[in-house]
Amino acid sequence: MMADQKNYQVTEIGTFASFDEKGRMELGDTLGLTGCEISVNSMPAGKSSPFFHKHKLNEEIYVVISGSGVFYLDQDEVMLQEGSVVCVAPAADRALKAGNEGLKYLCIQAQQNSLTQKTMDDGVLTDTKIK
Ligand code: ZN
């Protein structure tokens, strides 16, 4: 790591309401993510994904921020609302359709089975105190 480089990256994406106009934003390049991709998405009322898709390696975690919709997952239809969190395996054939209020969601994409430790297994306590 270079001396003037910090151990963190910050970006401001604005309010989730602003995604009515922005539509979609990927944060991976902006934040220099190395283990996952995160996108912020807004789908207008009644609109749906332009295509169904699967993945080769990556699972996707969809976190609904607001609105409602339907998640078409293989042969199933899963109703979405604020607070719905769905983990989709790479092989699932998927598409979304927004409900009457539109659908705002985060999508986190990471390689399936790539996580080898987490939280208490990976975290190390330090002596630093909050000022
Ligand atoms: Zn995908």
Side-chain angles (χ1 to χ4, degrees), residues 5 11 14 21 36 38 51 54 58 61 64-65 70 73 89 91 96 99-100 115 124 130-131:
Q5 193 175 0
T11 189
E21 290 198 9
C36 68
I38 301 176
F51 47 77
K54 300 181 177 192
N58 294 347
I61 301 92
V64 177
I65 299 163
V70 182
L73 294 163
L96 285 166
N100 292 335
L115 190 65
V124 179
I130 293 175
K131 293 171 191 159

Side-chain angles (χ1 to χ4, degrees), residues 28-94:
D29 290 343
T30 303
L31 293 172
L33 302 180
T34 64
C36 68
E37 174 64 278
I38 301 176
S39 62
V40 185
N41 304 272
S42 178
M43 188 174 277
K47 297 288 185 190
S48 56
S49 311
F51 47 77
F52 272 78
H53 77 285
K54 300 181 177 192
H55 279 264
K56 297 174 193 166
L57 299 175
N58 294 347
E59 63 188 11
E60 291 182 315
I61 301 92
Y62 291 77
V63 181
V64 177
I65 299 163
S66 68
S68 64
V70 182
F71 211 158
Y72 300 95
L73 294 163
D74 293 329
Q75 310 308 317
D76 297 335
E77 296 184 11
V78 175
M79 303 309 294
L80 299 174
Q81 61 185 357
E82 182 177 328
S84 297
V85 180
V86 183
C87 179
V88 184
D93 197 17
R94 73 204 68 179

